Amino acid sequence: MSQIEPTPFTWPHGFIWGSATAAAQIEGAGHAGGKEDSIWDAFARVPGAIAGGDDLETAVDHYHRMPADVALMASLGLDAYRFSISWARVRPCDRALNPEGLDFYSRLVDELLGAGILPWLTLYHWDLPQALEEKDGWANRETAYRFVEYATDVYAALGDRVTHWTTFNEPFCSSLLGYGSGVHAPGRQDGGAAVAAVHHQHLAHGLAVNALRSAGAQHLGITLNLTNAVPRDATDPVDVEAARRLDSLANRIFLEPLLRGAYPVDTLHDLEPFGLAEVIHSDDLSIISAPLDFLGVNHYHDDLVSGHADASASDSHAGGAARSVGSPWIGSEYITFPSRGLPRTAMDWEVNADGLRLLLVRLGEEYEQLPPLYVTENGAAYDDTVSADGSVHDSERTDYIVSHINKVAEAIAAGADVRGYFVWSLLDNFEWSYGYEKRFGIVRVDFDTLQRTVKDSGRRYAAHIRAVHAA
Ligand code: IFM
């Protein structure tokens, strides 16, 4: 039995309730309809890279089950569905367009609109075409220009029907983790490549915002996974320094170029050995800071941080993988994550709903140019049990979601301009280097039969949406 009740709250008019997925995690059809390898297909072939040796070839077969999945979304009463486009499906071999791949997304958008669901499109959720990685991927500035060509193609095909466009999802993971600590595709461990990837993704974002804006797009944004880096002991300079470094590399290296047109001075200094200054060309930051219509915030947990090696470190991580303490991109010998004794999800992430409230409020206080916020991902993995009758009573996930929604309400009451909430995820799916081991869905997927079953958390979320709309 879940324990936590929604706090009575008058949600702002037009507040969007949605759910999110990503192409690589759900679509399958890994090499069908003209799609070729993304970096994740290639990474999955590296022995030991993915738990259980899992791959993305079938995933949860959304590619073939799309109309039924949209019907499921409609049955939950979702206002919006946040999905991503597979670049390797649309432009598989670097530059040639694959009309069949694009057509899948066109059909998806029509299906969503037919069901009264707002399509919320993300252009890049980590799955670079392998053909581009073979030309040095995001470490190569040219990839930013290829991204704009791809974004322009997608806009030309869908811009008549899709209103909300996100350039990148969690660039922290696809740059620093993918190129620096190697726990995400393409699995590189090269501090210089990681720092170049950050900057080239920023550039790709800014160029795409300008291109899509010129083509007529009106709701353009980016999604970041942000954390509160809380020093374990605010009077201990070692802990304070560790928190500063994490804040620099997880938050400000993204927020400040995008919102203020400059890298933080301390970040530039920390990353000097990795050549950040050298990859920045003269007009880049004015391109990167093109005005945004929204900022997506993904949040699962925040971090208590220490600079002491013995501070009972955990492996929790903001955004999808175990943190590599002391890996080249972090530029710090020790950043550790002491336990606060809070409950943990199956990812070993602490449950601290108040961290979401703090983050949303803090962003508004710290950034004068902050556009409206959307919580574009929030949710939890737990080891679900299927009852004899096939139902899934996922009370921990239900409580997690309700408690975080309550904190979004508190943040709005405290002045944060939050306009939507998307639960991660609609479906159990491929959780990157964890393979199919971790279940985030509010809908269970039986990975053998691919049958979908709405969990209690999905029913509760649907009831919440109904109640808000009825109020
Ligand atoms: O599954 C991921 C998603 O792709 C990006 N944000 C975090 C989720 C959970 O790890």
Side-chain angles (χ1 to χ4, degrees), residues 380-423:
Y382 287 104
D383 298 328
D384 296 326
T385 307
V386 183
S387 302
D389 64 357
S391 54
V392 180
H393 303 302
D394 56 336
S395 54
E396 289 169 300
R397 182 178 295 102
T398 305
D399 280 351
Y400 181 100
I401 293 169
V402 174
S403 62
H404 282 75
I405 289 174
N406 287 345
K407 289 293 175 181
V408 175
E410 279 185 37
I412 294 171
D417 182 6
V418 188
R419 304 203 181 168
Y421 173 92
F422 293 73
V423 73

Side-chain angles (χ1 to χ4, degrees), residues 334-421:
Y334 294 117
I335 296 183
T336 52
F337 304 94
S339 170
R340 287 179 278 204
L342 295 167
R344 289 176 181 264
T345 70
M347 299 293 282
D348 201 25
W349 295 345
E350 284 185 340
V351 179
N352 178 26
D354 200 51
L356 177 57
R357 178 202 60 77
L358 175 65
L359 175 64
L360 295 169
V361 171
R362 191 167 71 73
L363 285 169
E365 289 169 356
E366 291 176 10
Y367 290 91
E368 56 295 334
Q369 303 296 342
L370 193 73
L373 302 177
Y374 291 82
V375 177
T376 39
E377 285 182 28
N378 175 244
Y382 287 104
D383 298 328
D384 296 326
T385 307
V386 183
S387 302
D389 64 357
S391 54
V392 180
H393 303 302
D394 56 336
S395 54
E396 289 169 300
R397 182 178 295 102
T398 305
D399 280 351
Y400 181 100
I401 293 169
V402 174
S403 62
H404 282 75
I405 289 174
N406 287 345
K407 289 293 175 181
V408 175
E410 279 185 37
I412 294 171
D417 182 6
V418 188
R419 304 203 181 168
Y421 173 92

Side-chain angles (χ1 to χ4, degrees), residues 2 73 105 127 209 217 350 382 392 412 425 432:
S2 57
M73 296 174 212
Y105 298 106
D127 44 356
V209 165
E350 284 185 340
Y382 287 104
V392 180
I412 294 171
S425 178
W432 309 111

